[in-house]
Amino acid sequence: MKSKLIIKLMLFLMALAVPAFAEEAAPAAGPSLGLTISNVWMMVATFLVFIMHLGFASLEAGLTRSKNTVNILFKNTLIPAIGLLTYAWLGFSLMYPGEFNGIFGFAGFGLPFPTVAGALDLAYNEGYTYWTDFLFQGMFAATAATIVSGAVAERIKLNSFLVFSAIFVGLVYPITGSWKWGGGWLDSMGFYDFAGSTLVHSVGGWGALIGAIMLGARKGKYVNGKIKPIPGHSMPLATIGVFLLWLGWFGFNGGSVLSADPALVSLTLVTTCIAAAAGIVGAMITTWIISKKPDLSMVLNGCLAGLVGITAGADQMGLGSSFWIGLIAGGLVVVSVMAIDRLKIDDPVGAISVHLVCGIWGTLAVGLFGAMAGLKQFGIQLLGAGAYGITTAVAATVIFSVVKATMGLRVSEEEEVEGLDLGEHGLEAYPDLALRPAAKSSAL
Amino acid sequence: MKSKLIIKLMLFLMALAVPAFAEEAAPAAGPSLGLTISNVWMMVATFLVFIMHLGFASLEAGLTRSKNTVNILFKNTLIPAIGLLTYAWLGFSLMYPGEFNGIFGFAGFGLPFPTVAGALDLAYNEGYTYWTDFLFQGMFAATAATIVSGAVAERIKLNSFLVFSAIFVGLVYPITGSWKWGGGWLDSMGFYDFAGSTLVHSVGGWGALIGAIMLGARKGKYVNGKIKPIPGHSMPLATIGVFLLWLGWFGFNGGSVLSADPALVSLTLVTTCIAAAAGIVGAMITTWIISKKPDLSMVLNGCLAGLVGITAGADQMGLGSSFWIGLIAGGLVVVSVMAIDRLKIDDPVGAISVHLVCGIWGTLAVGLFGAMAGLKQFGIQLLGAGAYGITTAVAATVIFSVVKATMGLRVSEEEEVEGLDLGEHGLEAYPDLALRPAAKSSAL
Amino acid sequence: MKSKLIIKLMLFLMALAVPAFAEEAAPAAGPSLGLTISNVWMMVATFLVFIMHLGFASLEAGLTRSKNTVNILFKNTLIPAIGLLTYAWLGFSLMYPGEFNGIFGFAGFGLPFPTVAGALDLAYNEGYTYWTDFLFQGMFAATAATIVSGAVAERIKLNSFLVFSAIFVGLVYPITGSWKWGGGWLDSMGFYDFAGSTLVHSVGGWGALIGAIMLGARKGKYVNGKIKPIPGHSMPLATIGVFLLWLGWFGFNGGSVLSADPALVSLTLVTTCIAAAAGIVGAMITTWIISKKPDLSMVLNGCLAGLVGITAGADQMGLGSSFWIGLIAGGLVVVSVMAIDRLKIDDPVGAISVHLVCGIWGTLAVGLFGAMAGLKQFGIQLLGAGAYGITTAVAATVIFSVVKATMGLRVSEEEEVEGLDLGEHGLEAYPDLALRPAAKSSAL
Amino acid sequence: MKMVSAIIKHFKLDEVRDALNKIGVQGMTAIEVKGFGRQKGHMEVYRGVEYEVKFLPKVKIEVAVPGNKLDDVIRAIQEKAKTGEIGDGKIFVYDLEDVVRIRTGERGEEAL
Amino acid sequence: MKMVSAIIKHFKLDEVRDALNKIGVQGMTAIEVKGFGRQKGHMEVYRGVEYEVKFLPKVKIEVAVPGNKLDDVIRAIQEKAKTGEIGDGKIFVYDLEDVVRIRTGERGEEAL
Amino acid sequence: MKMVSAIIKHFKLDEVRDALNKIGVQGMTAIEVKGFGRQKGHMEVYRGVEYEVKFLPKVKIEVAVPGNKLDDVIRAIQEKAKTGEIGDGKIFVYDLEDVVRIRTGERGEEAL
Ligand SMILES: Nc1ncnc2c1ncn2[C@@H]1O[C@H](COP(=O)(O)OP(=O)(O)O)[C@@H](O)[C@H]1O
Ligand SMILES: Nc1ncnc2c1ncn2[C@@H]1O[C@H](COP(=O)(O)OP(=O)(O)O)[C@@H](O)[C@H]1O
Ligand SMILES: Nc1ncnc2c1ncn2[C@@H]1O[C@H](COP(=O)(O)OP(=O)(O)O)[C@@H](O)[C@H]1O
């Protein structure tokens, strides 16, 4: 329940409770106004996190080739669907099991929501209703799978990916998530991750890394030891994606306050935006220096890098700290993208650099900047990042291996050359528009 | 005024009224906090419904050929404009006439808004102001016309369509709407349609069906008794459209609660999302079985099918019911698209299947699932669906016939081959991008 | 502080203050409910203004050629980043300096936010927190630079534009802004500009005009005294842009109420939408009459024209006035685009017509329509529009001249022919899609 | 062997291909082109300025045929591609010195 | 009859077409192509990796002319398409055995 | 001089170009085409209806060569473009009467 926040919230909720008590004297007591406001805010945050799925779909489609676009859109439409359904059936009860041993707990299948006299218990949580809670958390859950999608794009089999995603969102994300947000062992140790630099982004990022390694590079990416760039097919689509993701982050971070507390939410929004802006500038400077030409795709990654970086401590930072966290994340992502490429790990959209590398950076930054900075906290952050890393990497390896052994992971070479759109879907993304030979060979 | 809800709202509003009364003791009484919160929520819902117009525009443009894209964007830009203006001048007063005979009432031209001492009467409705009410309802109204647009795309004359839309939104939608939401005869009978499976979607869908039949198929769609598919020109655009529509549905259904009641609104959002997710899965399974290849365009339709299906009873369902309603809608839409195609009714975007077929399904589902399920209710739902069907179909036939007789309905064959963009607008959608012969013939 | 509004707000905030006072009796006083609600609303408004940046990016990219798309997306990604950072460091303190001489004041570098006992002072402003205030205003600020971007597109050097933008957003916009919204001399005189027809749109528009003149026309635009149209490369992108801008305007105007006052905000939303709808219709009629074919790009401009037109008086107008202001703006923008073209001022997206011409129109309309109409007010509006015009034009001329003298303004002829995407970024917007010769010559 | 190259209207491509198939032609190559000729281009308007787009989209097909089939092929194309209106296009005939089938290395008429 | 096929730079197409019009050529066909030759391609950078795009966009025009106009046509194209810089392109001349106007069935020079 | 025109698969273009470079060919022109032949097209499904897309994307290269290089060029293309599967494409050889380099006005083999 993002429990560190609870102390801060207490004060706010107590104040809100005053009119709530007053109302109880009224003939037919309804929800308190404080709950009503916070619930509106949390619903808005939910919508914003929802639209991140369109952001991811657009970004991933934009940064890959048009012959695989239908496949990418298909995956990204299925992910929130599968994510929500498995989270409703399984995930939510795994992630927030209530009292548990700190490592694994389960509150039961379906949504065992608290009721009072046949209706939803509105005293369940002063900040929002159970339904709002579920939906907000459910939208979060699906993002972890989406992150993987980008790194394995253009070569993974559709059904294998869907199976992986269902298990990853249904089991891995919520169980590991319970360690911190569910009040588990890492939470008890003092590990801090405000909105998920580690719990969402690194977790997704580890899945991405393992997936990219196990699949191998796209045909034609590394030829005779040389890196051949495979440019994405639509920069406008990629840009739309990043703006929608930034928009969504208002809800991702702002909603993680879990109430409409004016000071806390608005501070979080400001740190989030400053980090995003600084990430853009950091990436621009870095790419301009390294490549001499400012690379749009890198700047877009830089924006996300700043956002991922600030996510762990968005409520703990001042403006200056947010700026530096974002700026460094922006530089880091550029260097990381190039390094990972040189390691011959093929990540078409830079998901590993954005979500894993900057997710770790953001988690550690909580120990370096802002209200919680300190050597001890830094150690705990390191431990937390490590614990998530090992667990998720192992889990992802196991799932991908089983899927590989049973259904296979990678499409046939012929299908890859021809494009997954025809191979998997029998449909083209742009049937009217002539494609350049470039879409098929790197020569033109 | 979606009057069935009023009982539930009472409790909520009474509670909110407590501070409102308290304030009246204050020197200069302003709006109550309860009104302020609900009004914020309703405004957010309005924005979400507004963005559905972009969703429809994108989806329709994406699922049709690039030579008609400008025309489609033009229509979809005009529809909200015309819709809002006619609704302000005429529609709102027809739909919510106050006390009336249950069949036809009219509160006067323009917006005769309630005032107290020269200012807007804030006691008008505890849930939102008159302005918010108008704008929310106005955004709804325009969607009915947009639905028609998709089915008649790629062959209808621009000005004929605009005239049809103005009459449809200005007269047909609000008059039939008054029967239920205005407190008319169907409302009195107990017909239930929470957010418009029938009042909005079926009404639009009937218009779509009549339009598609009266216009006839696009040239080249049915050749020698064989169906020739005419793929849409941009799957990313179609996908953006569907995600925006899902986003908009948070406001479409969530706003139909007509207050910020936390439990009711958040439940509605959850049922809405579960149905959308189930619709996606339902369509995926169905299309994968039937076509062996999972068809993205069908899955996109499946998402909308789930959303349309849940709309009539979004506040009456539990999670399980929402799941089944959505899943069935997702399967239904696939079968329906194929059946309608075999009937040689040419509906480029699947509007009839999504909005009419699933609108009826959703309306009937209120009698089959959830809190109101029962044979009697089922009968009433059937009656309501039938009453709307007959009325709208007749009205649409009359309007289309008059327009056909006076201005003509269909563009010339030459213009259709060449594309409406050049014919009607003298402008291309993508002047820079080379078009495949495919855009012109189905051979390549 | 948009001070004219303050009187109206008083009443509202006093009412909200009642529970706030009550809470102060509670053990640990938190924020008042009134503040919490208004703050939620203002945050939503901030998100909406944020998404306008994506709107501008899409519109500008859509109305220009594909060979310059990466460059345009790059600029439009950098603008909000640079805008937010400079506004945080400099602009906010310049625009809202507190007590000052009415012409120039400065509250200090960084964000000198008001605190009480180490935490943000929540009594700072009853309508929202300092953070929310900053972020809302910061999102506004960046729009002014974006407006310039459209007019100078397809030929300005990237780094020169970024330097211009930083100075324009960091100094010119906030200093001139302080004259009215900061409570400066024009505010004292009774000049009225609700949400920025002048302060944002005209200011941006003057920058656009000066930039377009100083750069000269794009190669191939005016050949032997004849105008050669250079169509934009993607109408869907342009349409997405306009819908997102309309969406954003709900926050731009609705947020400018600076509280969640239900009547005032909802009235503002209605006038905004009516004007947008009327702008669309006005432009459609005008372009249909003049060109015989209804031009989508003009209708899109018409929508924005209506929005810009209503912005100065969105809270002062009734429905009728909003309609006429929008309709006239829609007609005006079409005529203005054609006139400016005939003056051989090359404005690829119509920024000057939309933002400058309709910004002035909207400012003057406050003296012609609505609650404040009157000869004296008209005179003051004229004076205000003039004062902003002269100051901004001079400032823009100076900045552009210095930039030109030091770094140069325009890319080389070769780079312009080849496209700025390759020249400045070494990246193509659509590497997969074949480009028509049309993208390179006007012959095909 | 001859190479027959024809500029035709897009919507005639299906019919032409089928007709050629019927007379035993088993392969052809199609290319998207823009044609300028007696047929007028269309007027477009953009932001109040009218202009003529002079090149019209056409499709060009290239069919390599043995000399003895030349007349049949020309006749088939001419019949099927004809609408009788300006802009129907043209058929050009070249001499083809040699043909190689890449897959097998076959040459000459064998390779067609 | 001869077929003149020229690879030129895009922005020269207007001028070349007008010049050919002036000397009585009433039709031509344009095709979007990519050329590789002495002219260097441009370097692009994507995500930190530089690469050369070797094929450059060019436009190819095909003009069928009666033999006696051949020299005029070649001269017109060469003059108008020339910038003097590497990459201006080439003119190729083929023999054209026959031409058919699809609309009328006319053959040979009649059909041009 | 001869004009060698070859229809090949896209992903072979790089290799073919490099091979031609090695035997001294300094220029060529590539064109995006659609081919129809013995190779089956692919089936697509759209909204429940299956259909065959019969024309497959191919790339056509045109290389003008001096007569004495003809055999080398044909051999190079045939070797490099071959996969052994149906649809590898064809090489067509035409006689080229004249070539002009636009930049310099050079003619004939000089101009290649
Ligand atoms: N001399 C020519 N050389 C090459 N192509 C030509 C020539 N004349 C016409 N064409 C092609 O044939 C097409 C049709 O020619 P056009 O003169 O418009 O009609 P028609 O063939 O019916 O007289 C043109 O669009 C162009 O592509
Ligand atoms: N041998 C050739 N065969 C076919 N096309 C060629 C040949 N050589 C050059 N070209 C075409 O001519 C264009 C210009 O050639 P290039 O060598 O770059 O410049 P220039 O003609 O000025 O010497 C090339 O881009 C290519 O399309
Ligand atoms: N008679 C022909 N004329 C022109 N092009 C042809 C002809 N036959 C084949 N082609 C081209 O060659 C390509 C390959 O031919 P195909 O018959 O599929 O395989 P293969 O050459 O291996 O026998 C076709 O896609 C088409 O572009």
Side-chain angles (χ1 to χ4, degrees), chain C residues 229 231-232 295 297-298 301 443-444, chain D residues 34 45-49 51 53 55:
Chain C
D295 183 331
S297 78
M298 287 291 204
N301 277 165
L444 294 187
Chain D
K34 297 270 181 160
V45 207
Y46 186 68
R47 300 176 86 62
V49 185
Y51 62 109
V53 174
F55 282 87

